[in-house]
Amino acid sequence: MPIYNYIVLAIILFCIGVIGVLTRRNAIIIFMCVELMLNSVNLLLVAFSKMHNVEFAVTNPTLASDAQIFVFFIMVVAAAEVTVGLAIIVMLYRNTHSVDVNFLNRLKN
Amino acid sequence: MNNTLQLVWLIPFLPLVGFLINGLGRKQLSKALVGLIGSGVILASFLISVFVFFQVKSGNIQVVTFFKFINTESLHINFAFQIDQLSSLFLLIITGIGFLIHVYSTSYMHDEESKDFAKYFAYLNLFIFSMLLLVMGANYIIMFIGWEGVGLCSYLLIGFWFTNNDYTDAAKKAFIMNRIGDLGFLLAVFWLLAKIGTVNYADVFSAVNIAKLTPADITGITLLLFVGATGKSAQIPLYTWLPDAMAGPTPVSALIHAATMVTAGIYMIARSNILFTMAPFTQSIITIIGLATAVLAATIALKQNDIKKVLAYSTVSQLGYMFVGLGVGAYTGAVFHVMTHAFFKALLFLGAGSVIHAMGGEQDMRNMGGLKKYMSITHLTFLLGCLAIAGMPPFAGFFSKDEILGAAFAKNPIYWIVGVLTAFMTAFYMFRLYAMTFLGKFRGTHEQEHHLHESPVAITFPLITLAILAVVGGWINIPQVFMNNGDKLEQFLSPIFAGSYALVAKRELAPTTDYTLMAISVLGALAALLYAINKFSKYEKVTVEETGLGKVLENKWYVDELYDAIIVKPLKKVSAFFNNVVEKSGIDGFVNGVGKSVNYGSRQIRLLQSGQVGNYVLLMVIGILILFIIQLFF
């Protein structure tokens, strides 16, 4: 499968994410959209890694699957981040009884 | 090469040390100690000056270089002292009379508070230091340092009682007038540097370097130097500061008028005599300005009632004489008159100070009179001073004035006529002063009469010394017609003026003409002084306002008012315009405008910081898109 398709898919996912962040006010949906953008980039990384794998296998085998491993790291870090983020949202809900980000325009009080 | 002259650095250094000790220790030192240090350093300088004078007399003349003062690629100025006939003579005058004035001040200023007393002596020492630097410097730059120094010290001392607003104004006036002259002096020095590239006297006056100057250069330089001299030596148009300088303590007036400051201009022109001799145009300007100043100041002095003001205008008038001497090429006569004038003018000022002291601060002659019987020493010394300044033989003033008048006659009889008329006026107003102060009956209050007393010895000692000098001081330069080989000063100074006399020979008058001129001036002055004594010894206080010419003279020809109208007032108008229009709407408007626009702009931009996360994200996305577009298409 040509790399072109992966790129288009990644762009579509990313744009959905961006539009979601911009238009929605629900903190959880925004959070999901952020994850979507993150994962579209992951997808792109994996796809490019696969594409380059052929030539790197000849010239520099140790670099051949670096991006694949990279993506695992990103997923782990993202999982940790999601935990923290969700915890914040839970605390937010407890305090304000809402997850609408537009209520959060004040840092004071 | 004799190295004994190496110690000349001590001459200005000692007063500087005195200044530092008295200035820094003014809160700790007692009055007696301050007086001792202040006078002692000057006495030490005087003794060294005497030694230096005899060294010079025996032919030991040199430029003593100490260190490189300014050292660049093309300009080398040494910190060096020129020890020759002219400077050694001035050293004697400055330190000698300076010392007497210091001694006098220890008594005169005794009522001041201890720290003011020390401050006063510190300033006096600094004054002497600056003046010594001025006359000792071997180039125009060192002279300029001293030149500025005396300007500063005169400002400090004239405004010594600075809590009085009028006195501070007088001090500022002196300083500003001097600055105007200084500018001329500086320009002349720059001109010399541009054309010759050196300011050392020895180099500037050498034939090689003078040949580099065109006649126009020389005229320009000498005119600018003369502008400097008019400021320092109080000539038209910059003379008005000197009478106002009376605001300072009386010994300061004596110091400014006799030993230091006003003689600076004469010294500078005498030092640069070769340049001036080569510029006949400048010489005639100097002569005319000198004569005009002499006459103007003498007429003003006729009607003044303040004892110090009369003396101040007489100084301006006598300085005019000195400039006439310089202008007609009688350099020795001018320097001689500086010397004799220093004697009798210091005497007269110190005598006036003694009178003011006895009168409890009263300076108006209309309230004096009959002091003869209370203050015999002051009276006698003052009388000798008056006779000397009036040009009575054989007192000092006669010889020096005669020499200048004789030279003026040789140049142009009209100069002589104006000069001799001024001499008659001088005799008249000096004896008017004498008669109103010492003769007749006392016109002051009863309290003042009770208080009258002869001054203590610290005041009478300088008076007696100066009186002796005022009597015999003229005998060092007796004209050839009286005594063969009597002109000792002329011979002593001849190496300094040799270059000028080689260019323009000194014109000698026939003995009969000389006798006639002397007889006219002496008899005229005698008539004027007898008339003055006769008229004013029975002076009664009148309350009638002066009218006509008398009023004009009493108001000093309205020169101060004239300057006020043509310079000060327009200047204030211009300042007011700049203050109200340019400053308020122009500069303030611009500065405030910058502030206001920043204020307004930030108020608008502040709206971007809404606190809405969505807005921030949107802006971020737009920003990224713009970056992408730039990346892709440019």
PDB file of all heavy atoms in Angstrom, chain B residues 276-293:
ATOM      1  N   PHE B 276      50.572  90.418  19.519  1.00  0.00           N
ATOM      2  CA  PHE B 276      49.809  91.664  19.521  1.00  0.00           C
ATOM      3  C   PHE B 276      50.542  92.763  18.760  1.00  0.00           C
ATOM      4  O   PHE B 276      49.911  93.566  18.076  1.00  0.00           O
ATOM      5  CB  PHE B 276      49.499  92.094  20.955  1.00  0.00           C
ATOM      6  CG  PHE B 276      48.363  91.326  21.556  1.00  0.00           C
ATOM      7  CD1 PHE B 276      48.582  90.097  22.150  1.00  0.00           C
ATOM      8  CD2 PHE B 276      47.074  91.801  21.488  1.00  0.00           C
ATOM      9  CE1 PHE B 276      47.531  89.377  22.681  1.00  0.00           C
ATOM     10  CE2 PHE B 276      46.012  91.080  22.013  1.00  0.00           C
ATOM     11  CZ  PHE B 276      46.248  89.865  22.611  1.00  0.00           C
ATOM     12  N   THR B 277      51.867  92.778  18.890  1.00  0.00           N
ATOM     13  CA  THR B 277      52.614  93.797  18.154  1.00  0.00           C
ATOM     14  C   THR B 277      52.463  93.597  16.653  1.00  0.00           C
ATOM     15  O   THR B 277      52.462  94.550  15.881  1.00  0.00           O
ATOM     16  CB  THR B 277      54.096  93.732  18.537  1.00  0.00           C
ATOM     17  OG1 THR B 277      54.185  93.752  19.944  1.00  0.00           O
ATOM     18  CG2 THR B 277      54.861  94.911  17.974  1.00  0.00           C
ATOM     19  N   MET B 278      52.288  92.332  16.251  1.00  0.00           N
ATOM     20  CA  MET B 278      52.146  92.067  14.818  1.00  0.00           C
ATOM     21  C   MET B 278      50.736  92.338  14.314  1.00  0.00           C
ATOM     22  O   MET B 278      50.461  92.173  13.135  1.00  0.00           O
ATOM     23  CB  MET B 278      52.528  90.621  14.520  1.00  0.00           C
ATOM     24  CG  MET B 278      54.015  90.378  14.715  1.00  0.00           C
ATOM     25  SD  MET B 278      54.404  88.668  14.512  1.00  0.00           S
ATOM     26  CE  MET B 278      54.299  88.531  12.739  1.00  0.00           C
ATOM     27  N   ALA B 279      49.828  92.698  15.203  1.00  0.00           N
ATOM     28  CA  ALA B 279      48.451  92.955  14.788  1.00  0.00           C
ATOM     29  C   ALA B 279      48.064  94.380  15.150  1.00  0.00           C
ATOM     30  O   ALA B 279      47.430  94.628  16.173  1.00  0.00           O
ATOM     31  CB  ALA B 279      47.504  91.967  15.461  1.00  0.00           C
ATOM     32  N   PRO B 280      48.462  95.356  14.325  1.00  0.00           N
ATOM     33  CA  PRO B 280      48.199  96.758  14.674  1.00  0.00           C
ATOM     34  C   PRO B 280      46.705  97.053  14.835  1.00  0.00           C
ATOM     35  O   PRO B 280      46.307  97.862  15.674  1.00  0.00           O
ATOM     36  CB  PRO B 280      48.756  97.540  13.481  1.00  0.00           C
ATOM     37  CG  PRO B 280      49.592  96.584  12.737  1.00  0.00           C
ATOM     38  CD  PRO B 280      49.130  95.209  13.049  1.00  0.00           C
ATOM     39  N   PHE B 281      45.890  96.331  14.050  1.00  0.00           N
ATOM     40  CA  PHE B 281      44.448  96.568  14.147  1.00  0.00           C
ATOM     41  C   PHE B 281      43.948  96.223  15.552  1.00  0.00           C
ATOM     42  O   PHE B 281      43.244  97.010  16.195  1.00  0.00           O
ATOM     43  CB  PHE B 281      43.721  95.722  13.098  1.00  0.00           C
ATOM     44  CG  PHE B 281      42.231  95.818  13.191  1.00  0.00           C
ATOM     45  CD1 PHE B 281      41.575  96.983  12.825  1.00  0.00           C
ATOM     46  CD2 PHE B 281      41.483  94.753  13.659  1.00  0.00           C
ATOM     47  CE1 PHE B 281      40.203  97.076  12.922  1.00  0.00           C
ATOM     48  CE2 PHE B 281      40.105  94.844  13.759  1.00  0.00           C
ATOM     49  CZ  PHE B 281      39.465  96.007  13.382  1.00  0.00           C
ATOM     50  N   THR B 282      44.355  95.040  16.036  1.00  0.00           N
ATOM     51  CA  THR B 282      43.948  94.650  17.386  1.00  0.00           C
ATOM     52  C   THR B 282      44.447  95.657  18.397  1.00  0.00           C
ATOM     53  O   THR B 282      43.738  96.010  19.348  1.00  0.00           O
ATOM     54  CB  THR B 282      44.525  93.267  17.728  1.00  0.00           C
ATOM     55  OG1 THR B 282      44.272  92.405  16.645  1.00  0.00           O
ATOM     56  CG2 THR B 282      43.910  92.721  18.981  1.00  0.00           C
ATOM     57  N   GLN B 283      45.672  96.133  18.180  1.00  0.00           N
ATOM     58  CA  GLN B 283      46.220  97.095  19.143  1.00  0.00           C
ATOM     59  C   GLN B 283      45.382  98.355  19.225  1.00  0.00           C
ATOM     60  O   GLN B 283      45.122  98.857  20.317  1.00  0.00           O
ATOM     61  CB  GLN B 283      47.647  97.445  18.750  1.00  0.00           C
ATOM     62  CG  GLN B 283      48.629  96.378  19.181  1.00  0.00           C
ATOM     63  CD  GLN B 283      50.030  96.915  19.204  1.00  0.00           C
ATOM     64  OE1 GLN B 283      50.464  97.514  18.228  1.00  0.00           O
ATOM     65  NE2 GLN B 283      50.728  96.712  20.286  1.00  0.00           N
ATOM     66  N   SER B 284      44.928  98.841  18.053  1.00  0.00           N
ATOM     67  CA  SER B 284      44.122 100.059  18.154  1.00  0.00           C
ATOM     68  C   SER B 284      42.786  99.753  18.807  1.00  0.00           C
ATOM     69  O   SER B 284      42.262 100.579  19.560  1.00  0.00           O
ATOM     70  CB  SER B 284      43.944 100.743  16.794  1.00  0.00           C
ATOM     71  OG  SER B 284      43.943  99.805  15.781  1.00  0.00           O
ATOM     72  N   ILE B 285      42.221  98.551  18.548  1.00  0.00           N
ATOM     73  CA  ILE B 285      40.970  98.187  19.234  1.00  0.00           C
ATOM     74  C   ILE B 285      41.201  98.185  20.742  1.00  0.00           C
ATOM     75  O   ILE B 285      40.407  98.729  21.523  1.00  0.00           O
ATOM     76  CB  ILE B 285      40.509  96.777  18.786  1.00  0.00           C
ATOM     77  CG1 ILE B 285      40.165  96.762  17.315  1.00  0.00           C
ATOM     78  CG2 ILE B 285      39.334  96.316  19.649  1.00  0.00           C
ATOM     79  CD1 ILE B 285      38.778  97.172  16.977  1.00  0.00           C
ATOM     80  N   ILE B 286      42.317  97.568  21.167  1.00  0.00           N
ATOM     81  CA  ILE B 286      42.597  97.485  22.600  1.00  0.00           C
ATOM     82  C   ILE B 286      42.700  98.887  23.192  1.00  0.00           C
ATOM     83  O   ILE B 286      42.134  99.184  24.247  1.00  0.00           O
ATOM     84  CB  ILE B 286      43.897  96.695  22.847  1.00  0.00           C
ATOM     85  CG1 ILE B 286      43.704  95.245  22.454  1.00  0.00           C
ATOM     86  CG2 ILE B 286      44.318  96.792  24.303  1.00  0.00           C
ATOM     87  CD1 ILE B 286      44.947  94.401  22.629  1.00  0.00           C
ATOM     88  N   THR B 287      43.422  99.770  22.482  1.00  0.00           N
ATOM     89  CA  THR B 287      43.601 101.123  22.997  1.00  0.00           C
ATOM     90  C   THR B 287      42.257 101.826  23.152  1.00  0.00           C
ATOM     91  O   THR B 287      41.977 102.449  24.184  1.00  0.00           O
ATOM     92  CB  THR B 287      44.492 101.939  22.042  1.00  0.00           C
ATOM     93  OG1 THR B 287      45.590 101.149  21.675  1.00  0.00           O
ATOM     94  CG2 THR B 287      44.954 103.206  22.699  1.00  0.00           C
ATOM     95  N   ILE B 288      41.428 101.698  22.116  1.00  0.00           N
ATOM     96  CA  ILE B 288      40.154 102.429  22.157  1.00  0.00           C
ATOM     97  C   ILE B 288      39.262 101.861  23.257  1.00  0.00           C
ATOM     98  O   ILE B 288      38.668 102.606  24.039  1.00  0.00           O
ATOM     99  CB  ILE B 288      39.472 102.364  20.769  1.00  0.00           C
ATOM    100  CG1 ILE B 288      40.279 103.227  19.797  1.00  0.00           C
ATOM    101  CG2 ILE B 288      38.039 102.847  20.859  1.00  0.00           C
ATOM    102  CD1 ILE B 288      39.987 102.965  18.356  1.00  0.00           C
ATOM    103  N   ILE B 289      39.199 100.520  23.336  1.00  0.00           N
ATOM    104  CA  ILE B 289      38.369  99.903  24.387  1.00  0.00           C
ATOM    105  C   ILE B 289      38.913 100.318  25.756  1.00  0.00           C
ATOM    106  O   ILE B 289      38.148 100.669  26.667  1.00  0.00           O
ATOM    107  CB  ILE B 289      38.384  98.368  24.256  1.00  0.00           C
ATOM    108  CG1 ILE B 289      37.727  97.942  22.960  1.00  0.00           C
ATOM    109  CG2 ILE B 289      37.728  97.726  25.475  1.00  0.00           C
ATOM    110  CD1 ILE B 289      36.299  97.569  23.047  1.00  0.00           C
ATOM    111  N   GLY B 290      40.230 100.286  25.897  1.00  0.00           N
ATOM    112  CA  GLY B 290      40.832 100.653  27.171  1.00  0.00           C
ATOM    113  C   GLY B 290      40.475 102.070  27.560  1.00  0.00           C
ATOM    114  O   GLY B 290      40.041 102.339  28.686  1.00  0.00           O
ATOM    115  N   LEU B 291      40.612 102.996  26.607  1.00  0.00           N
ATOM    116  CA  LEU B 291      40.299 104.401  26.906  1.00  0.00           C
ATOM    117  C   LEU B 291      38.824 104.566  27.235  1.00  0.00           C
ATOM    118  O   LEU B 291      38.462 105.233  28.213  1.00  0.00           O
ATOM    119  CB  LEU B 291      40.641 105.277  25.698  1.00  0.00           C
ATOM    120  CG  LEU B 291      42.096 105.700  25.562  1.00  0.00           C
ATOM    121  CD1 LEU B 291      42.288 106.463  24.271  1.00  0.00           C
ATOM    122  CD2 LEU B 291      42.501 106.577  26.744  1.00  0.00           C
ATOM    123  N   ALA B 292      37.986 103.918  26.429  1.00  0.00           N
ATOM    124  CA  ALA B 292      36.548 104.056  26.658  1.00  0.00           C
ATOM    125  C   ALA B 292      36.200 103.524  28.043  1.00  0.00           C
ATOM    126  O   ALA B 292      35.429 104.154  28.785  1.00  0.00           O
ATOM    127  CB  ALA B 292      35.773 103.289  25.589  1.00  0.00           C
ATOM    128  N   THR B 293      36.773 102.377  28.404  1.00  0.00           N
ATOM    129  CA  THR B 293      36.492 101.814  29.718  1.00  0.00           C
ATOM    130  C   THR B 293      36.972 102.755  30.813  1.00  0.00           C
ATOM    131  O   THR B 293      36.275 103.000  31.804  1.00  0.00           O
ATOM    132  CB  THR B 293      37.184 100.457  29.879  1.00  0.00           C
ATOM    133  OG1 THR B 293      36.908  99.674  28.738  1.00  0.00           O
ATOM    134  CG2 THR B 293      36.698  99.751  31.112  1.00  0.00           C
TER     135      THR B 293
END
